[in-house]
Amino acid sequence: MSEVRITNVSKVYPGHDARDEPVLALDNVSFEVRNHEFCSILGHSGCGKTTLLNMLAGFETPTRGEVAVDGRKVGKPTWERTIIFQDYALFPWMTVEQNIAFGLEMKKVPVSERPEIIRRQFELVGLSGFAKRYPHQLSGGMKQRVSIARALAVDPNVLLMDEPFAALDAQNRASMQEELGRLLATSDAQNRKTMVLVTHSIEEAIILSDRIIVLTRRPGRVKANIEVDLPRPRNEADPRFIELKMHLRDLIHDEFEVEH
């Protein structure tokens, strides 16, 4: 069974008032993400990428079609699906440790189990020694590590990411891509999460993904569904990496040409 299944999904937003035409954001989108796969959704701004992610999170519902995870229709947010946002969404009055513990408290994980879970997350994202720091004392890359640790601490089945590295400078972004790529390469296959990433970056999609879904300009439709068969960690100098990058660039550029 596929972990994530998007079936004939369309989304229509009403106009702001009676004079405005409704907006068709997504049109008959279908694809699957297998258990433990990392899938990137790639496309221009406004093509419906974040709308799809919000549907998977349970924040929005399709106008038509169905979004299902592990065979069950998605209806509302649950601990089975967590999301990492672009702006970190950390509580500034809480320490790093408290931010990571927050989800465990809301999920009512037994108090006796929390320290070990938090310790494992610190090791996983390389934040040992920063437990008592506050978000304002951290770099952007470190804040995003905290966001990742907090999302993983509640042990979701599916991890959703809405351009999590877009707010970082180029050096930190590359570092975080490399770090997440390392985690994917070294994770036990049975313990890997199913992951869905929204991104504008072709390179980021190739570095991280097992599958890349390319959407057309609005209304978003599936233009390409590509399996990435490259060894991890990915090497940007690999001729196959370059070939795939150029292919994806052509797909995206074609959409630009259509628009103009």
Side-chain angles (χ1 to χ4, degrees):
M1 181 182 295
S2 295
E3 188 70 38
V4 171
R5 190 187 300 268
I6 309 288
T7 308
N8 302 323
V9 163
S10 296
K11 181 66 176 182
V12 179
Y13 290 105
H16 292 298
D17 57 46
R19 294 170 296 177
D20 291 335
E21 291 290 327
V23 175
L24 179 61
L26 292 168
D27 184 25
N28 200 34
V29 172
S30 297
F31 64 89
E32 298 177 9
V33 184
R34 291 192 289 262
N35 196 30
H36 303 151
E37 256 190 344
F38 191 115
C39 174
S40 287
I41 302 174
L42 186 66
H44 289 282
S45 294
C47 72
K49 303 186 300 296
T50 296
T51 297
L52 271 175
L53 204 71
N54 285 338
M55 289 178 184
L56 279 169
F59 300 151
E60 295 192 43
T61 56
T63 305
R64 293 182 296 275
E66 183 177 272
V67 177
V69 174
D70 203 16
R72 298 187 299 274
K73 183 177 178 179
V74 172
K76 61 181 181 180
T78 74
W79 295 112
E80 295 177 350
R81 305 178 307 278
T82 57
I83 188 164
I84 299 170
F85 297 99
Q86 178 179 329
D87 62 356
Y88 321 127
L90 301 177
F91 299 115
W93 61 87
M94 290 184 180
T95 64
V96 168
E97 184 177 39
Q98 290 167 337
N99 267 284
I100 295 174
F102 178 78
L104 301 176
E105 295 169 14
M106 295 297 99
K107 194 180 179 184
K108 295 181 169 54
V109 172
V111 174
S112 61
E113 297 178 14
R114 295 176 196 172
E116 177 58 21
I117 295 172
I118 293 169
R119 184 195 64 78
R120 289 202 305 267
Q121 293 307 318
F122 273 124
E123 288 187 357
L124 183 67
V125 300
L127 282 172
S128 299
F130 291 88
K132 304 304 180 185
R133 300 285 184 92
Y134 288 88
H136 75 271
Q137 297 174 306
L138 305 177
S139 68
M142 293 173 72
K143 289 176 185 176
Q144 201 55 282
R145 289 170 190 261
V146 179
S147 295
I148 292 170
R150 183 176 61 182
L152 290 175
V154 296
D155 195 25
N157 294 333
V158 179
L159 183 63
L160 308 171
M161 292 173 279
D162 188 6
E163 301 203 58
F165 310 137
L168 303 179
D169 60 49
Q171 185 173 351
N172 269 316
R173 181 168 187 156
S175 175
M176 288 302 300
Q177 290 169 355
E178 183 178 340
E179 188 70 14
L180 188 51
R182 181 190 62 80
L183 292 177
L184 293 170
T186 58
S187 293
D188 184 327
Q190 290 304 111
N191 293 323
R192 278 185 62 180
K193 306 297 181 186
T194 300
M195 301 188 187
V196 181
L197 168 74
V198 160
T199 182
H200 285 94
S201 170
I202 293 172
E203 292 83 0
E204 184 168 271
I206 301 173
I207 288 168
L208 296 173
S209 303
D210 302 303
R211 178 179 306 280
I212 299 173
I213 304 297
V214 180
L215 295 183
T216 64
R217 283 184 176 268
R218 190 170 65 201
R221 303 182 180 98
V222 175
K223 182 165 189 174
N225 184 336
I226 299 169
E227 291 198 46
V228 184
D229 185 21
L230 296 174
R232 297 185 186 275
R234 306 272 162 82
N235 178 4
E236 294 191 50
D238 184 334
R240 292 173 298 169
F241 188 108
I242 297 170
E243 180 181 5
L244 179 54
K245 176 179 173 180
M246 297 308 296
H247 176 55
L248 289 167
R249 183 169 290 174
D250 287 345
L251 289 172
I252 299 295
H253 182 72
D254 285 348
E255 286 302 306
F256 185 83
E257 290 293 321
V258 168
E259 182 73 9
H260 292 77

